Amino acid sequence: MPKPSVLFVCLGNICRSPLAEAAFREEAKRIGLDIEIDSAGTGGWHAGEPPDHRAIATARKHGIDISSYRARKVTVGDFRRFTHIIGLDFENLADLQRLHPHDGTADLSLLLDHVPERAGEAVSDPWYGDMSDFDVTWNDVTAGAKALAAELALL
Ligand code: 4NP
């Protein structure tokens, strides 16, 4: 069993997946889980850019600085490099399933699949919303991050 490693994936890698990465880094640190963590987007339009300013502000409210994160597009190599690739919504998961190469070894799932009472739910996309929508996203990714970290700590 390889050491677990986790990649969070949304569309642009500037709103939801950086927040999931931040929440998971925080939770992994809190429980002493030493693990490789990253995030990426299925689209490359924002590659090289920092997270959306609203995502940066949301993380900052919780004492986390994500301003140095940079967006990147998911690669075929990610399916061998990471043991777990976590889609934030249904479209992200469907895109990941389509991109998964034959020799890929990553386990694909939705983030909220790891929260028993929320399995099969998507993390809502705050892109067209306001700061309160980013708060909802933060609550969702925090619930997912806690559950996923607890699960991986048992491997
Ligand atoms: P994310 O949000 O996938 O959570 O990073 C979005 C970012 C950019 C766009 C849509 C969603 N966009 O249309 O450019």
Side-chain angles (χ1 to χ4, degrees), residues 1-91:
M1 185 71 161
K3 189 176 150 186
S5 49
V6 183
L7 179 69
F8 296 98
V9 175
C10 63
L11 180 62
N13 192 209
I14 56 170
C15 296
R16 292 164 293 174
S17 62
L19 289 175
E21 177 183 346
F24 189 81
R25 282 189 185 283
E26 196 72 359
E27 182 62 11
K29 189 165 66 177
R30 194 183 71 79
I31 67 171
L33 186 65
D34 175 24
I35 188 171
E36 185 186 356
I37 306 162
D38 198 6
S39 63
T42 55
W45 313 284
H46 296 281
E49 293 177 14
D52 184 280
H53 66 95
R54 297 165 297 175
I56 292 176
T58 301
R60 189 173 292 136
K61 272 203 275 189
H62 299 278
I64 306 171
D65 179 12
I66 63 168
S67 63
S68 64
Y69 288 14
R70 293 293 177 269
R72 72 170 180 89
K73 192 174 177 181
V74 72
T75 67
V76 163
D78 287 326
F79 293 86
R80 290 186 294 271
R81 175 170 157 211
F82 293 92
T83 60
H84 293 74
I85 302 185
I86 311 290
L88 276 287
D89 71 17
F90 309 119
E91 189 188 354

